[in-house]
Amino acid sequence: MKCDKKDLLLYAVTDRHWLNGETLYSQVEKTLEGGTTFVQLREKDLDEEHFLEEAKEIKELCGRYHVPFVINDNVEIALAMDADGVHVGQSDMEAGDVRAKLGPDKIIGVSAQTVEQAVLAEKRGADYLGVGAVFHTDSKADAADVSHETLKAICESVHIPVIAIGGISRDNVSELAGTGICGIAVISAIFAQKDIKNATKELKILTEEMVKA
């Protein structure tokens, strides 16, 4: 499964922080109903067995909506349950090594904060880049803020699709117009909302407008 630019329009990153008695599965289903175009399963504290079980279920769910499904950081889990791909940060396994493990037809996303990191990731086989944090965010304590000038410079220096991440909400997404990104990755703008399906729908419309602007 290769990564199409349009699949990256609205990229949902899971977080069990806001479950409030719901299952992650039901929350992902709601965001898919609302039109999310890509799902990343991000688990920092789940043991391998439960992570694998959950990943298989959510992959099957995403498959029904024809939405790509990738695993955050954990290349072994992605391999074990045949995810569509994996997303790695700068401190995780390097893109070339991930490609060697997962094979040629999996999606590999890489986080980048600078033009140098972006160019190197593309050279080593990344399919898309996640750049941020473009706004201040609490979900990643170590995420350095990336200026919109840098974001634009990254988009101009690579040929692969670039999405922005970090602190993006319905209130500020339009500020990213003109940077060259093809979409946004969000956590709380979807999963922290009372009505996940509607929040997704609204955000998708706003993101489409921003990308065209």
Side-chain angles (χ1 to χ4, degrees):
M1 178 171 200
K2 267 305 170 199
C3 189
D4 197 317
K5 221 170 170 171
K6 64 178 189 323
D7 293 334
L8 290 161
L9 180 73
L10 185 55
Y11 183 126
V13 181
T14 68
D15 191 335
R16 22 186 77 247
H17 194 75
W18 290 289
L19 288 184
N20 295 324
E22 267 191 274
T23 62
L24 196 65
Y25 185 94
S26 74
Q27 290 199 335
V28 172
E29 188 159 35
K30 284 174 188 171
T31 191
L32 286 165
E33 285 169 359
T36 279
T37 59
F38 205 107
V39 173
Q40 179 194 125
L41 183 62
R42 183 168 179 247
E43 287 292 1
K44 295 295 181 194
D45 308 310
L46 215 55
D47 63 78
E48 295 277 310
E49 186 190 351
H50 287 101
F51 192 171
L52 191 58
E53 196 179 310
E54 177 183 75
K56 284 178 179 166
E57 288 174 356
I58 293 178
K59 182 201 171 190
E60 189 266 331
L61 174 64
C62 290
R64 291 209 301 271
Y65 286 86
H66 307 289
V67 165
F69 171 73
V70 300
I71 301 283
N72 179 269
D73 293 353
N74 197 319
V75 179
E76 300 307 325
I77 291 267
L79 201 57
M81 50 73 59
D82 194 30
D84 295 318
V86 73
H87 186 93
V88 291
Q90 285 294 320
S91 57
D92 304 310
M93 195 187 289
E94 182 277 302
D97 299 334
V98 178
R99 176 64 71 210
K101 264 195 133 125
L102 292 185
D105 56 349
K106 295 295 186 188
I107 299 168
I108 296 176
V110 177
S111 300
Q113 277 87 34
T114 65
V115 169
E116 293 74 29
Q117 289 174 354
V119 170
L120 191 59
E122 179 177 38
K123 203 179 281 173
R124 290 184 171 162
D127 292 300
Y128 74 88
L129 298 171
V131 177
V134 294
F135 298 106
H136 181 69
T137 174
D138 294 326
S139 71
K140 284 197 85 155
D142 59 344
D145 289 348
V146 174
S147 72
H148 295 180
E149 291 74 42
T150 301
L151 179 60
K152 194 171 185 212
I154 288 173
C155 291
E156 286 166 358
S157 64
V158 295
H159 302 97
I160 52 176
V162 176
I163 56 173
I165 188 164
I168 304 169
S169 69
R170 47 175 295 184
D171 301 324
N172 61 20
V173 65
S174 62
E175 291 173 34
L176 297 168
T179 54
I181 56 172
C182 66
I184 59 168
V186 294
I187 305 176
S188 61
I190 287 176
F191 294 110
Q193 307 309 308
K194 281 199 170 61
D195 186 336
I196 289 174
K197 183 177 168 181
N198 262 342
T200 304
K201 272 186 182 164
E202 282 182 10
L203 193 56
K204 189 177 184 181
I205 291 165
L206 291 168
T207 305
E208 281 168 339
E209 288 169 2
M210 177 273 294
V211 170
K212 286 187 194 127

